Amino acid sequence: MKTVFVLNGPNLNLLGTREPAVYGHQTLADVEQLCAQACARHGLSLRFHQSNHEGALLDWIHEAGRLHAAGELAGVVLNAGAYTHTSVALLDAIKGTGIPLIELHISNVHARESFRHHSYISAAAKAVMCGFGVPGYALAIDAVAQW
Ligand code: DQA
C-alpha cells in the first residue's frame, strides 16, 4: 500500500476560526477526516501533518523523498500556507527529493492580494490547485491516486 503525505503549513491549525469568509468553517481535524476517507477509497495510506515551523515541513518532505526512492510514495499534497510565497528552502527540498507533489491552497490565491500571486513551490510542483475550498484536499488525493 502506497502512502500519501498531506502537509499543512503555518496557521492552518487555526482552520475553523481563521478568517472563515476566506477559509470556511471546517477545522483541520475535519480536513484530516476528509483525507482519511479519500485515502481509504483509493487503498492508500495517509500521513497527515501540520506545523507552523518551516524546518518541520522540510523534514517531512525529506521523509517523503525517502519513501519515493523506495517506491512506496503515492504523492504529496502540500498546503504550505504563507511559506508558499517566501520559502526557497521548500522549493529546494521538493526539487532535491524529486517527489511528485500537488501544491494546494484552499482559497483562490490569484483573486487575493498580489503578494499571494507568486509561489516558490509551483516551479517544482507536478500540479497546482487553488480555490476549491476544503473539498480540494479530497480532489487532490483523487488525482494522486491516478498517478
Ligand atoms: C493558503 C493561501 C496562503 O496565501 C495563505 O498564506 C495561507 C493559506 C490557502 O490555503 O488558501 O495560509 O495557502
Side-chain angles (χ1 to χ4, degrees):
M1 182 186 279
K2 288 196 175 185
T3 298
V4 179
F5 277 62
V6 178
L7 303 178
N8 295 279
N11 300 309
L12 289 161
N13 54 312
L14 300 180
L15 277 182
T17 55
R18 173 194 185 194
E19 299 182 80
V22 177
Y23 298 111
H25 293 277
Q26 286 176 288
T27 66
L28 192 65
D30 295 331
V31 175
E32 182 169 6
Q33 200 182 6
L34 192 75
C35 290
Q37 286 165 354
C39 282
R41 275 200 303 278
H42 295 293
L44 295 166
S45 148
L46 174 66
R47 288 279 304 272
F48 188 94
H49 297 290
Q50 186 275 330
S51 179
N52 295 319
H53 304 277
E54 195 173 6
L57 296 167
L58 293 171
D59 288 343
W60 287 319
I61 288 171
H62 294 176
E63 200 181 331
R66 287 191 289 275
L67 253 68
H68 181 53
E72 293 165 11
L73 182 77
V76 176
V77 179
L78 172 65
N79 184 349
Y83 290 146
T84 305
H85 318 297
T86 63
S87 181
V88 175
L90 282 173
L91 168 66
D92 285 349
I94 298 160
K95 278 185 158 176
T97 55
I99 51 172
L101 178 141
I102 297 182
E103 172 187 344
L104 179 141
H105 304 284
I106 295 168
S107 64
N108 177 359
V109 286
H110 299 290
R112 300 180 65 193
E113 304 96 321
S114 58
F115 62 81
R116 295 185 204 277
H117 298 177
H118 177 260
S119 162
Y120 281 99
I121 291 164
S122 298
K126 184 162 169 159
V128 180
M129 294 175 60
C130 72
F132 291 95
V134 162
Y137 283 84
L139 297 175
I141 290 169
D142 288 346
V144 167
Q146 293 176 56
W147 287 352

